[in-house]
Amino acid sequence: MGRAREFDEEKVLDAAMQLFWEKGYEATSLSDLTSRMGIQKPSIYAAFGDKKELFEAALRKYMMSRASHVRTKLQKNPSVKDAFRAFFEGVIAEEYTENRSRGCFCINTMVELAPHDEKFEILTREHQMYLSVIFQETIERGIQSGELEFGVNAKALSQALIVSLIGLTVIMKSRPERSFVDNTLEVTLTLLK
Amino acid sequence: MGRAREFDEEKVLDAAMQLFWEKGYEATSLSDLTSRMGIQKPSIYAAFGDKKELFEAALRKYMMSRASHVRTKLQKNPSVKDAFRAFFEGVIAEEYTENRSRGCFCINTMVELAPHDEKFEILTREHQMYLSVIFQETIERGIQSGELEFGVNAKALSQALIVSLIGLTVIMKSRPERSFVDNTLEVTLTLLK
DNA sequence: CATTATTTGTACCGAACGGTAAAATAAATA
DNA sequence: TATTTATTTTACCGTTCGGTACAAATAATG
């Protein structure tokens, strides 16, 4: 019964995600969204609610796919040290390949919205904690395999690596010389020694 | 000749700085600014130009005072390790003391504007590079005094510390448990051996 | 085929946006 | 004191904002 929806909900949500990711919440207008999503405002409201709810849906979608990507990448390599190196190098390469860096949607939101909106404070914090657990599991795998020393504090170390990842992601938005991030990565990876 | 200005340019610029620092560029309206600065829009335009120019002036003022504060803090302590620890702990305490964290105005701008405005890409990058030189000089002082090993790569290490500082500042916006940042700090400081 | 239920496009809402013209005000100069 | 020059206040500009009422369009149901 009733007219069938003409758009793919996942497709248009993905378009909204890209836009919010690039421009942030405030700087993205509904008119920007209708162009990019290819549907009109009433369709957006019917499917996702108001602008903030659409933003939240887009952010959740990002976080899901991001966490899964991180887990996959870290599990791919039998060596934990190599896995972290490859992961960080991948993040760096991505930013330096694209003409303009998008960084991380979650980090952008942590800066723009978390201090003024408790919902996003919680949402972004939980995502970072989740990533840090993925890091921790990887480190524990390295301890188990004997690649890392038995005495390593997996939790603290994983948290420090998350913080470095955030710092790297953020400073790359200012396009520092490549040597800056390369130096940083080398020093940071010595924490796994 | 002519009517004298009734407001203190430094005072009202400082008020604008606080506001932009808290809310960012897009989310701060001219109406917000007139309330906080205590002057009307034409006075703002006469003294500072348009919204972006006012923002830039506010950011420059912030960066100056920030760099000077960092230099002072690091120079105060004869021990380089203690100096870095005290500095990082100060940054952390500041965020956890205030009800809502403002973070760092420069970092906020790096996230919000640097990817879409080359002027702010350069401005924020140069500030971070300047801070990293201050870090580097401090580390070199530690090498000279014998507190740090002679073989330490002062430049790379200072860059890694800057990245950790950025990461810490950003993640605190999501109000993680105190143990998270404490762990991170302990691990990060091991880089100074 | 007529009815019903839903989505679509259009057109519009009041409010807020960044920015400015112009008159009123006040200080310094002549 | 009259004039000049700059600043302040007020009122307003056109545009865009997020959001919605409404009617045309379209699909499934009876």
Side-chain angles (χ1 to χ4, degrees), chain A residues 1-4 28-31 41-42 45 50-51:
Chain A
M1 51 178 164
R3 183 173 174 175
T28 300
S29 72
L30 279 178
S31 145
K41 285 187 274 182
Y45 278 84
D50 67 15
K51 189 187 173 189

Side-chain angles (χ1 to χ4, degrees), chain A residues 2 13 27-29 52 66 87 92 96 110 112 119 124 130-131 143 147-148 153 158 175:
Chain A
L13 180 55
T28 300
S29 72
K52 261 254 163 82
R66 180 68 185 159
F87 172 70
I92 293 169
Y96 275 90
M110 230 156 57
E112 184 183 8
K119 169 172 273 171
T124 57
Y130 189 60
L131 292 186
I143 297 174
E147 187 184 359
L148 300 180
N153 184 340
S158 68
R175 313 241 122 213

Side-chain angles (χ1 to χ4, degrees), chain A residues 174-176, chain B residues 120-130:
Chain A
S174 77
R175 313 241 122 213
Chain B
F120 292 101
E121 172 196 310
I122 296 171
L123 217 52
T124 57
R125 176 176 64 231
E126 287 180 346
H127 178 66
Q128 295 302 329
M129 296 308 123
Y130 189 61

Side-chain angles (χ1 to χ4, degrees), chain A residues 24-163:
Chain A
Y25 178 75
E26 288 289 345
T28 300
S29 72
L30 279 178
S31 145
D32 293 332
L33 287 164
T34 57
S35 322
R36 187 81 140 248
M37 299 170 79
I39 59 178
Q40 306 297 331
K41 285 187 274 182
S43 300
I44 296 180
Y45 278 84
F48 305 102
D50 67 15
K51 189 187 173 189
K52 261 254 163 82
E53 294 175 285
L54 172 60
F55 183 90
E56 184 184 341
L59 179 59
R60 285 185 185 276
K61 184 179 167 78
Y62 171 87
M63 287 170 168
M64 297 271 206
S65 92
R66 180 68 185 159
S68 136
H69 171 257
V70 171
R71 200 184 303 102
T72 304
K73 261 271 191 165
L74 286 179
Q75 284 175 347
K76 208 166 66 181
N77 207 312
S79 157
V80 163
K81 291 179 187 174
D82 290 353
F84 274 111
R85 174 177 291 277
F87 172 70
F88 275 88
E89 281 177 349
V91 170
I92 293 169
E94 216 168 286
E95 296 298 305
Y96 275 90
T97 304
E98 293 172 17
N99 278 348
R100 63 191 195 294
S101 78
R102 283 183 304 180
C104 165
F105 188 10
C106 172
I107 291 174
N108 297 352
T109 304
M110 230 156 57
V111 171
E112 184 183 8
L113 299 185
H116 313 98
D117 189 323
E118 196 183 358
K119 169 172 273 171
F120 292 101
E121 173 197 309
I122 296 171
L123 217 52
T124 57
R125 176 176 63 232
E126 287 180 346
H127 178 65
Q128 295 302 327
M129 295 310 123
Y130 189 60
L131 292 186
S132 121
V133 167
I134 296 175
F135 275 26
Q136 183 177 340
E137 289 166 355
T138 306
I139 291 171
E140 279 163 353
R141 170 163 71 85
I143 297 174
Q144 231 100 59
S145 78
E147 187 184 359
L148 300 180
E149 283 180 22
F150 187 76
V152 159
N153 184 340
K155 186 171 189 176
L157 183 48
S158 68
Q159 291 167 341
L161 290 179
I162 287 288
V163 164

